[in-house]
Amino acid sequence: MSALNPADAVLLERLSAALGPGGVVPAEPRYLEEPRGRFAGRAAAVLRPASTEAVAAAVAICAEARTGIIPYSGGTGLVGGQVMGEGPLPVVLSFERMNRIRDVDLADGVMIVEAGCVLADVHAAAAAAGRVFPLTLASEGSARIGGLLGTNAGGVNVLRYGNARDLCLGVEAVMADGSVMHGLRRVAKDNMGYDLRHLLIGSEGTLGLITAASLRLHPRPGETATAWAAVTSPDAALALLNALRDALGGTISAFELIGVEGLAFLAEKMPSVPQPPAMGTDWRVLVEAADAAGAGTRARLEAALMAGLEAGGVAEVLVAQSEAQRAVFWGVRETIPEANRLVGAISSHDISVPPARIGEFVARGAPLVARFDPELRINCFGHLGDGNLHYNVFPPQGRSRALYDSLRAPVKRAVYDLVHELGGSVGAEHGVGRLKVEDLVRYGDPAMVAAMRAIKAALDPQGVLNPGAVLA
């Protein structure tokens, strides 16, 4: 970053000429903030290109001037990848004007979309064509495709459909010198050398700027069954998941583990959100299965859950009898993060642990946190099928997180050390950004980190693309 130059008036004039009216605007606060308020950014201006050619022109100009570019998608990231608070003054490049759906091809099962398309709009376009794009997460009304691919987002359907990279056949991207990589493939098999698509997906805009993508479409399920169940422990939840997989095969699309602390937070901060009836255990699971019409999905799910009741580990079961009841179930899961924000976490941890070791992690994690203060509260929830947990630590009820700022770093270190010991990852769903740069070095394999540095140096030798993110 020391070799970069700050954006100045001359550079902004060149960029304005290249991007045309509305292409360069002042850096409003919304471009310089992130959802949790942990980071504040700086920028000389915001670039708003309307085409891939305009992105290429802007990157080429900034590369010549050796000025940093901060890519900005929907702004929903939680690790500071979209804001830069230190270093030579950069420009922000927003993809909001690049929001066109270029093509929907049912024969190939592909939708070609630009990076600025909001996920909810992609869902709507897929539905209009009688298909689904199954990447689903709470921020779908504001998250954009470029950012979702840049962070390899997951969401609730990873169990069945995979992460963002598994739903993308190809990308178009602007590289650090302003050249355009035309990689909008429509085929699943393309083994002509290195797969640069997968290199760019998950790179958080540090190796190239994704401008468009070929997305996989899937058949729309004919019937869906959703259930809310009480389980005695995370291990019991995992046993139930495995039993459901045996009974229903690949039709299980979501399996969410929810601790009762999250339900208590909802009742405390968002009492208007309806919840299913109280159940007598500390853990819930939200499970959903989907299949073709006439497959008897609800009956099969009910039968498998009843078998779980008889086998033990499952205390109560409630199967949604209507779309309205299904919406209530999912409304609980989707609003828990907002309730967390209103309570105010001391330290939040987006981690993954091998599913077989989640029970051990939960059992060992609570005493670790209690060593700092036995009154601290833990809200643990997440995607059990892929091992991704949101393990967040909160102050005692009625106290502000500001009183516990001194605990943030040691609590995080204790949790991350345990995750690493159990063979997990301290960066599961949201990426590295700027928040976890040191963690990547601490917990990452040295050979892997060295290879990442070499790739960064090869593709972005001047370090103009998202400087300070992922790698310091």
Side-chain angles (χ1 to χ4, degrees), residues 13 21 106 118 150 215 232 265 277 285 360 421:
E13 287 179 7
L106 296 183
V118 173
L215 304 179
T232 56
F265 286 175
V285 294
E360 180 183 356
E421 178 189 337

Side-chain angles (χ1 to χ4, degrees), residues 298 319-327:
R298 183 191 294 178
V319 179
Q321 300 300 307
S322 66
E323 182 60 31
Q325 196 169 37
R326 174 180 177 266

Side-chain angles (χ1 to χ4, degrees), residues 228-243:
W228 185 260
V231 293
T232 56
S233 68
D235 282 334
L238 182 61
L240 176 61
L241 172 58
N242 289 332

Side-chain angles (χ1 to χ4, degrees), residues 347 349 407-417 435 439 443:
S347 186
H349 314 102
L407 292 184
R408 180 178 299 119
V411 166
K412 184 188 83 166
R413 177 71 179 273
V415 172
Y416 283 3
D417 283 352
L435 178 65
D439 298 322
Y443 299 107

